[in-house]
Amino acid sequence: MRKGIIGLCAVLILGCAGIQEMIEQATNVQMEVKQGEDAVHPADFPLSPPEGGTLMNSTNMSMTGLSTRIVVYELPADTDATPLLDKYEAEIKQHGTDVQRTATRVAFEGSDGRVMAVELTSAGDKTVVTLTEASINRDAAE
């Protein structure tokens, strides 16, 4: 299910309105994608914005048993990943101790169905920081 969620989130981040409408109609997924100046970092989002980052887009998605919020920032390409991931690892550990970390990703999946992840990717002369929070209601999803 996690790969499906990540794949769907990747499509959402592209922000293609036509694809968004087709997905909503075909899957009963409710989506709200905001880009540029319209993008928002929700006040109750559990992960803080990266210092010096430019907010590029935000996505809210819900469907039976799943609620996902994603905010995407750009940072300079020379951003040092280690202190940035250290910061997010500390933030995520406030919500649970079973944190998984790689060189470009910090993630937590709680037994209650809550998922948080931070992923860094390179995009030309920028580093893209994707912050994700998802809640899975396993009873509703089955």
Side-chain angles (χ1 to χ4, degrees):
M1 182 174 201
R2 188 181 313 159
K3 287 182 182 178
I5 293 169
I6 292 170
L8 184 56
C9 292
V11 170
L12 297 176
I13 290 170
L14 295 175
C16 180
I19 291 174
Q20 178 181 337
E21 287 179 26
M22 288 180 359
I23 291 171
E24 284 182 3
Q25 291 174 1
T27 63
N28 197 28
V29 173
Q30 302 300 311
M31 291 184 278
E32 178 183 38
V33 178
K34 295 182 178 183
Q35 296 186 354
E37 293 180 7
D38 294 330
V40 295
H41 187 110
D44 64 342
F45 198 79
L47 301 169
S48 65
E51 187 174 322
T54 301
L55 180 59
M56 300 306 295
N57 63 58
S58 58
T59 302
N60 289 317
M61 178 184 73
S62 63
M63 61 187 226
T64 304
L66 175 66
S67 173
T68 303
R69 299 187 299 174
I70 303 167
V71 287
V72 179
Y73 287 86
E74 279 188 354
L75 291 168
D78 62 353
T79 299
D80 188 352
T82 300
L84 186 60
L85 290 175
D86 288 346
K87 163 190 151 59
Y88 286 116
E89 183 174 8
E91 287 185 23
I92 290 173
K93 281 185 177 179
Q94 294 175 10
H95 302 277
T97 57
D98 189 22
V99 176
Q100 301 161 357
R101 181 167 172 173
T102 68
T104 60
R105 187 171 197 269
V106 177
F108 164 76
E109 183 174 352
S111 59
D112 62 352
R114 186 169 192 195
V115 176
M116 281 185 266
V118 176
E119 188 150 11
L120 307 180
T121 53
S122 295
D125 62 345
K126 302 288 182 192
T127 296
V128 177
V129 180
T130 303
L131 309 175
T132 304
E133 175 197 35
S135 297
I136 302 167
N137 179 340
R138 289 187 171 91
D139 294 333
E142 294 177 358

